[in-house]
Amino acid sequence: MKPLLGISLKVLSALVFTMMSATLKTMMVRYPIGEVVFFRSAFALLPLLVWLKWQGDLINAVRTTNVVGHFKRGFIGTSGMYLGFAALSYLPLHDAIAIGYASPLIVVILAALLLNEKVRAYRWTAVGIGLVGVLIMLSPYLKLETFSGGLAAGPTLGALCAFAGAFCSAGAMIQVRRLTATEKTGAIVFYFFILASALSLCTIVFGWRMPDAQDWALFVVAGILGGIGQILLTQSYRFADTSVIAPFEYTTMIWALLFGWFVFGDLPTATVLTGATIVAATGLFIVWREHQLGLLRTKEFQAAPQRPSV
């Protein structure tokens, strides 16, 4: 275990993913969402395949016996990507990312409902408080007057897309947990990018634009950043425990604030910052609580009398 290396990789992955989101945000005004999703997913395969080849076992890394499970994860994850990119087209970068922080809280709820995981009172309380934080972040976009122009009013639609995308991300995470029981990490990531590319390619019938040379370069950069971010994220969990790594997901807000300010000239409102702080605090509490319970279970196991070997 190398916790400092794991934390460094996690923080770097958060920076890379934010750079990818900022790059794609500049493309959303010129290209359909389906086209953006396709290029983001297709070009992400390049660093992934290089990484798997470098590990020396490309064929076995992507071998699978659970095609249906991968399709479910791909469909849910691609839906979340569509919704997330739609949110980026309507909202400031930091607002879209902050509302997405609802995803870990929703995972707790779905894990209890779908995976029958035991969720204790502390976690339910934290989830409840966290969802209040989400409502605070959404409140500026859900005032009655914002609906005067219908959902096409822009920011309102963006906020709803961001929240719906958080649900999809949580659902995809639940499906990934199921897949990890039998599938390798390389296969899970590889088939997600393949399915996301294939599903988004179907939208070409609705009309795509031919990118110019500069936009081709931006699409390639965004896709490669997405692939590199996924590799860094995967590797970070090899060097430190989940409870150590998970809190550093919230560093994305730091990068989002910086990119939003310097690239797009956006600054977050006090309301969004307040809500994001509440959500982040509850997420950190859940991670800390699970870490403490893990330590307690380890002590109980070590203290229990061991059956003599035969």
Side-chain angles (χ1 to χ4, degrees), residues 49-244:
L49 291 175
V50 170
W51 178 58
L52 293 177
K53 181 64 176 178
W54 176 71
Q55 288 191 317
D57 198 13
L58 176 60
I59 300 300
N60 286 328
V62 300
R63 198 184 302 276
T64 182
T65 58
N66 191 358
V67 176
V68 174
H70 284 292
F71 181 81
K72 290 179 181 178
R73 186 266 191 270
F75 182 79
I76 298 171
T78 303
S79 299
M81 199 183 299
Y82 268 81
L83 290 164
F85 288 168
L88 280 175
S89 66
Y90 290 116
L91 296 176
L93 179 64
H94 41 69
D95 285 12
I97 288 177
I99 295 173
Y101 285 166
S103 182
L105 304 177
I106 299 169
V107 167
V108 175
I109 299 172
L110 294 182
L113 296 176
L114 302 179
L115 301 181
N116 296 320
E117 290 188 5
K118 185 176 181 180
V119 179
R120 297 173 177 83
Y122 282 104
R123 289 177 71 185
W124 282 124
T125 302
V127 168
I129 295 172
L131 291 178
V132 170
V134 173
L135 290 175
I136 291 174
M137 286 190 289
L138 290 174
S139 61
Y141 301 106
L142 301 182
K143 296 176 182 178
L144 290 178
E145 54 267 27
T146 63
F147 287 94
S148 59
L151 288 180
T156 296
L157 179 58
L160 294 177
C161 285
F163 190 56
F167 261 98
C168 289
S169 296
M173 196 176 298
I174 294 296
Q175 185 60 24
V176 166
R177 286 188 185 179
R178 289 171 170 169
L179 287 172
T180 53
T182 58
E183 303 294 296
K184 294 183 178 180
T185 300
I188 295 173
V189 178
F190 175 77
Y191 289 110
F192 169 62
F193 286 148
I194 289 291
L195 284 165
S197 299
L199 290 171
S200 56
L201 184 61
C202 296
T203 67
I204 196 172
V205 298
F206 299 109
W208 284 10
R209 278 191 56 196
M210 177 60 69
D212 57 26
Q214 180 179 347
D215 287 348
W216 270 116
L218 289 175
F219 275 131
V220 172
V221 168
I224 290 177
L225 286 173
I228 292 174
Q230 191 65 56
I231 293 169
L232 292 171
L233 179 64
T234 302
Q235 288 295 92
S236 69
Y237 286 98
R238 295 184 183 277
F239 295 105
D241 293 334
T242 302
S243 59
V244 175

Side-chain angles (χ1 to χ4, degrees), residues 16-36:
V16 170
F17 278 130
T18 308
M19 291 171 62
M20 180 203 72
S21 297
T23 303
L24 292 177
K25 182 173 174 58
T26 65
M27 311 291 284
M28 298 303 303
V29 296
R30 300 193 297 278
Y31 296 93
I33 293 178
E35 187 173 358
V36 174

